[in-house]
Amino acid sequence: MFKTVIRRAGKCAAVAAAGLMMMSAQAAEPIKIGSFLSVTGPASFLGDPELKTLEMYVEKINEEGGVLGRQLELIHYDDVGNASSARNFASRLIRSDRVDIIVGGSTTGATMAAVPLIEQAQVPFISLAGAVVITNPVKKWVFKTPQTDRMAAERILSDMKDRGITKFGLISGTGGFGSSGRTQTLEVAEQMGMEVVADVTYSGSDTDMTAQLTNIRNTSGVEAVLNFGFGQGPAIVTRNYAQLGMELPFYQSHGVASDSFLELAGSSAEGLRLPASPLLVPDSLPNDDPQKEVVQNYKAEYEARWDSKVSTFGAYAYDGLMLAVRAMEEAGSTDPEAVRNALENIQGYVGVTGVFNMSPEDHNGLDPDSFRILEVQNGEWKLID
């Protein structure tokens, strides 16, 4: 009897030891952060700083001990701005790479192409794209870090009203971002009692928008002009606007909030306004602004590492990664449901883009006031409001 007990105890001890070894090995496995970004192609001005940001902060987090005692592993693919490629890479991240969370989707088109797969697989996803459709209506597994195009429209039109402007001309790109921005602008204008008296568009392949701008200029009652788009298009619109000698107040969307846009548009950008995060004017923030230190640190670290100017697009990736890390830490695991629940309940996270307050009804967590109104003065961004 005694020997039998000993054998059983020994067997139990062996099983327990094996279990501990398995748990230890599992704990040592890296946490996989998946990403698909437009690193090359027409939207590379988005994806390139996003990838650089993810790479440098994954490295930094790992040097500081990782998350939950585990290292982070970044697995990323370049979708070159193609929605079909984005969908295929999202599938690979889920089924082959078996990532724990996805932080990516440079464009609205790429993001929305991947959403059905991600929702079906039940993997937490933090998008870096702007359109309101990404999180409205709320999708259980989908979150985003940029302000929505609707918020941008609200902020721009509020600034117009402050300047006594009630009628304006709208020119927008026909891609996903520009099209959604146009829809939101039309809706917000109606709600605010403003009138869009001219409404024209351009395609991504257009190299001159003089005809569309001439249409706006010849429309009676136009008091200002708003261009909603991203990529090369807005810079062309800006140059054409100056060439036509149009002197009405001119606005761009947050889709071009970067120093690279100023380089493309040159002196033609003088006087235009747009909504943006405070990243472009960190030193203009008052000392008691909760974002000032975060914004200044990100700018300094990015520019020191890559020897290139920071952009608001890279900041979307910074906030996405930090929100993911915070959610995993609060969940105490990488369990998808636990991480998703933690993401949905994050309150008061001070990021570069804004202060995030998530909820079951809001998977973006920002409001229009997270945008600051900037104006180009002497070739530089200046904080107006």
Side-chain angles (χ1 to χ4, degrees):
M1 176 71 72
F2 182 72
K3 289 183 178 179
T4 302
V5 171
I6 292 295
R7 280 197 294 269
R8 285 178 179 172
K11 185 176 180 181
C12 290
V15 170
L20 287 171
M21 289 176 65
M22 288 179 65
M23 289 173 65
S24 177
Q26 186 179 27
E29 290 178 0
I31 295 171
K32 295 182 179 179
I33 310 290
S35 190
F36 55 95
L37 299 166
S38 304
V39 182
T40 61
S44 61
F45 68 96
L46 301 173
D48 178 67
E50 289 167 350
L51 178 58
K52 287 176 177 175
T53 297
L54 291 177
E55 287 178 334
M56 68 180 286
Y57 283 100
V58 163
E59 289 176 8
K60 183 178 181 181
I61 290 168
N62 285 340
E63 289 171 358
E64 294 173 351
V67 177
L68 303 178
R70 297 161 64 185
Q71 294 284 282
L72 301 182
E73 179 184 356
L74 177 63
I75 303 172
H76 62 87
Y77 299 102
D78 180 8
D79 61 35
V80 301
N82 181 280
S84 178
S85 295
R87 182 170 53 250
N88 291 337
F89 287 137
S91 176
R92 186 184 299 182
L93 288 168
I94 294 166
R95 295 169 182 166
S96 300
D97 300 316
R98 297 184 177 278
V99 298
D100 296 294
I101 192 168
I102 298 175
V103 180
S106 300
T107 68
T108 297
T111 291
M112 295 308 294
V115 162
L117 287 172
I118 290 169
E119 285 281 286
Q120 183 180 28
Q122 300 184 351
V123 174
F125 173 38
I126 303 175
S127 170
L128 311 181
V132 68
V133 69
I134 296 169
T135 52
N136 187 12
V138 170
K139 301 163 188 65
K140 182 176 180 180
W141 296 90
V142 180
F143 301 80
K144 69 191 292 293
T145 53
Q147 298 95 336
T148 66
D149 42 12
R150 188 177 188 86
M151 292 178 196
E154 291 171 348
R155 197 71 173 88
I156 292 168
L157 269 56
S158 291
D159 189 69
M160 284 187 184
K161 290 198 81 171
D162 289 344
R163 301 170 80 180
I165 297 166
T166 59
K167 298 180 180 181
F168 64 97
L170 175 63
I171 177 170
S172 54
T174 54
F177 179 80
S179 179
S180 179
R182 172 183 175 274
T183 298
Q184 299 306 315
T185 300
L186 293 174
E187 290 181 3
V188 171
E190 183 177 359
Q191 290 180 358
M192 295 180 66
M194 301 176 72
E195 186 178 355
V196 179
V197 293
D199 181 11
V200 298
T201 62
Y202 57 86
S203 73
S205 60
D206 287 349
T207 57
D208 189 288
M209 286 66 152
T210 302
Q212 292 97 320
L213 289 170
T214 299
N215 184 316
I216 293 176
R217 185 178 64 176
N218 294 339
T219 300
S220 177
V222 176
E223 299 169 343
V225 177
L226 165 60
N227 177 204
F228 223 113
F230 77 96
Q232 299 285 334
I236 296 171
V237 170
T238 302
R239 292 196 296 268
N240 291 160
Y241 194 88
Q243 290 162 0
L244 287 170
M246 298 177 71
E247 297 182 353
L248 296 171
F250 184 36
Y251 290 83
Q252 290 281 359
S253 77
H254 60 309
V256 295
S258 69
D259 288 329
S260 61
F261 167 75
L262 292 184
E263 294 172 2
L264 288 171
S267 61
S268 300
E270 193 69 18
L272 71 76
R273 291 186 178 186
L274 53 67
S277 87
L279 179 62
L280 298 179
V281 288
D283 297 333
S284 298
L285 298 176
N287 290 331
D288 61 353
D289 190 303
Q291 286 184 261
K292 185 164 187 172
E293 183 178 0
V294 177
V295 170
Q296 287 180 323
N297 288 344
Y298 171 67
K299 182 177 188 296
E301 290 169 356
Y302 183 95
E303 292 181 349
R305 170 67 183 273
W306 302 109
D307 192 26
S308 60
K309 290 185 176 180
V310 76
S311 84
T312 57
F313 312 119
Y316 299 152
Y318 173 89
D319 288 333
L321 178 62
M322 296 307 169
L323 285 167
V325 168
R326 177 162 169 174
M328 288 186 285
E329 288 178 338
E330 293 192 359
S333 77
T334 56
D335 174 74
E337 185 74 38
V339 172
R340 192 214 72 84
N341 291 342
L343 267 174
E344 191 174 74
N345 289 285
I346 285 178
Q347 293 284 307
Y349 163 70
V350 181
V352 178
T353 308
V355 179
F356 291 80
N357 293 293
M358 301 286 189
S359 73
E361 296 76 32
D362 183 2
H363 281 195
N364 179 214
L366 297 172
D367 59 39
D369 287 339
S370 60
F371 274 128
R372 316 299 170 100
I373 293 294
L374 309 185
E375 181 176 291
V376 181
Q377 296 180 8
N378 299 317
E380 297 181 347
W381 299 111
K382 296 296 180 183
L383 180 65
I384 299 299
D385 181 19

